[in-house]
Amino acid sequence: MALPQSLRASVIPPELELIASQQLVEIVPLISMEKTAFISGAYGPFRPPNKAKIPLWMAVNLKLKKKCHIVAPAWLNADYLQERLTEETLQLSFSKLPFRFTEISKVILDVASDDLENPDKIRSLLKDLREARQAKSREGLKTLDHSELSLPNLCSMEINEIRPYFVQSMSILTQLVRNPAPDPLPNV
Amino acid sequence: MDWDTQYELMKAGRPVTVAGPSHITRSDHTRHDSDEGDIPMGLPSRDQEGGRRRADFLVDEEEVILTPLEQLTRHWMNERHAPDILPAQEDLLTSLLDHLRRQSEAVQLLREDPSTSEEEHIRIMLVQTEVERVKFIVRSYVRTRLFKIEKYARFVTTNAEVQRRLTAAELDHASRHAKITDQHFYVSVLQGLPEKQSHLDDTPLFVPPMVTEPDKSRPVFVHALKQCPRIRLPDGAALDMEKGHISLMPYAVVEQLVARGEVELI
């Protein structure tokens, strides 16, 4: 088959990670390298200890070989995430986070937690954020109808998570509207 | 700039990027001499693409024009989420495949060269990793289209509007697939049935059509890339999507916006 069964209904998290890994991060290289032309652009040169900006996948690759340190993005620290979490619990709407924050934070925590300050605190904050936001998206299911549902500030991984049942529910609602049940017999 | 203009530019060989302040450009000024001739992968330098990223992580990146790879990634996601078959991106795919081939050849040349240093090996490895990443996206994109084409093969052979969105090779595949399955069904079952029931495209009354068509009422998650013209929702309400707006709605509502590249499916 052209597309495996598991990929037909939706995109899967590793694919989202692949897309997110194209985003640029700052690194402190430990090796020097001349500027090199890639398909997505030219990166380098690396001149330790000067910082350089490269795609996340490349940073992960170098990090695993102990050839760079990854500089955490401005939002990936305990203070910033704590603020968002407070906002998240006070407001009804979703707080504004980078669209692919789940994927990026996971990748960085997996390979470069030693480059982060207080990685355990960051992990638990991300988990709390996730739970707070998940509860809100479940609430959103109540307001679902057959025509439209706005989801401001929802992130890529969260959308992927709610996709199966939101899409299915909306399809059923659409069918119900299209073929309304016959009126019950008038009372005699 | 809209998609069509972008493709025209790409065909004409002009870089489809905007120059921006860049770390790479900066380092170029300071080390102009040593770096100038030192891009070993046999390609023109792409400073502008590397440097045109957003500075603030919360600012949407859609102001800038995408690199061919980013364009393909977007088409790949649209294709994965849309119930219908979207227009083929032949020019974009051709240019990326060319680029992949050039990168692979450059890697091959450097590999065979015994004087290649340790530092070079890291660059080769990185270039090769990227080649594999891009290949994965290209393959997944093509396979997604193929899956839909096979699923809707019969519909494709009878609908001129869908045929316009396919490449010649895809169209050929669709008609052969439809023909072979038809023959198979006929030989294995249909020839034994009464004449009235032996067709694959009967349209009896009160029964859904037999030919599988894309279900355009399936809901999709939409992300507005710019301020969109007003759309009419199934319940009659109107909606103006601001840039950055995310919404779940039936595909039929946003079909035109997807085609014009004003929204992406996520």
Side-chain angles (χ1 to χ4, degrees), chain A residues 27-38 41-54 58 62, chain B residues 22-36 38-40 45 47 119 123 126:
Chain A
I27 58 156
V28 180
L30 301 175
I31 49 162
S32 48
M33 189 179 100
E34 296 307 323
K35 185 158 81 185
T36 309
F38 290 89
Y43 304 112
F46 299 161
R47 299 269 182 267
N50 292 335
K51 286 182 185 170
K53 252 190 178 175
I54 57 173
M58 205 184 284
L62 291 173
Chain B
S22 146
H23 58 285
I24 292 170
T25 321
R26 269 202 311 277
S27 41
D28 253 356
H29 288 309
T30 50
R31 305 176 175 275
H32 203 261
D33 297 333
S34 59
D35 287 329
E36 195 54 60
D38 211 321
I39 294 171
S45 147
D47 303 21
E119 188 226 338
R123 298 163 89 181
L126 289 177

Side-chain angles (χ1 to χ4, degrees), chain A residues 23 29 49 57 84 93 101 136 144 162 169 175 179 183:
Chain A
Q23 296 199 358
W57 63 265
R84 290 289 84 76
S93 60
F101 85 94
K136 283 184 194 171
L144 191 70
I162 62 170
S169 322
Q175 275 177 20
N179 317 315
D183 287 332

Side-chain angles (χ1 to χ4, degrees), chain A residues 2 39-40 42 148-149 151, chain B residues 24 35 130 143 246-248 266:
Chain A
I39 294 175
S40 50
E148 195 260 347
L149 179 69
L151 304 153
Chain B
I24 292 170
D35 287 329
E130 190 192 40
R143 289 176 70 164
I246 295 177
S247 211
L248 176 69
I266 45 174

Side-chain angles (χ1 to χ4, degrees), chain A residues 85-170:
Chain A
L85 181 61
T86 319
E87 228 175 82
E88 202 72 70
T89 39
L90 290 178
Q91 295 175 356
L92 279 174
S93 60
F94 291 95
S95 65
K96 198 159 166 55
L97 279 158
F99 186 62
R100 304 197 184 276
F101 85 94
T102 329
E103 298 94 311
I104 294 174
S105 56
K106 180 198 176 281
V107 171
I108 295 183
L109 278 167
D110 277 356
V111 301
S113 56
D114 54 328
D115 290 341
L116 296 173
E117 255 176 71
N118 214 342
D120 291 333
K121 176 82 178 154
I122 293 180
R123 268 198 198 95
S124 84
L125 279 170
L126 284 168
K127 193 157 180 278
D128 292 347
L129 264 174
R130 182 186 133 91
E131 276 162 14
R133 294 170 71 95
Q134 229 174 5
K136 283 184 194 171
S137 37
R138 277 198 217 104
E139 283 294 303
L141 196 53
K142 281 186 196 156
T143 60
L144 191 70
D145 63 10
H146 71 282
S147 80
E148 195 260 347
L149 179 69
S150 291
L151 304 153
N153 292 340
L154 210 62
C155 294
S156 123
M157 198 62 94
E158 291 159 349
I159 289 173
N160 210 47
E161 197 175 9
I162 62 170
R163 188 187 322 272
Y165 57 87
F166 271 59
V167 165
Q168 183 74 14
S169 322
M170 204 180 212

Side-chain angles (χ1 to χ4, degrees), chain B residues 151-155 158 182 185 189-190 193 195-214:
Chain B
K151 188 170 168 190
Y152 305 126
R154 261 190 150 271
F155 174 70
T158 57
D182 276 13
F185 287 144
V189 182
L190 295 173
L193 294 179
E195 164 66 20
K196 268 180 111 177
Q197 293 159 8
S198 66
H199 303 287
L200 282 166
D201 50 2
D202 290 339
T203 45
L205 285 176
F206 309 119
V207 176
M210 290 177 73
V211 180
T212 318
E213 285 181 32

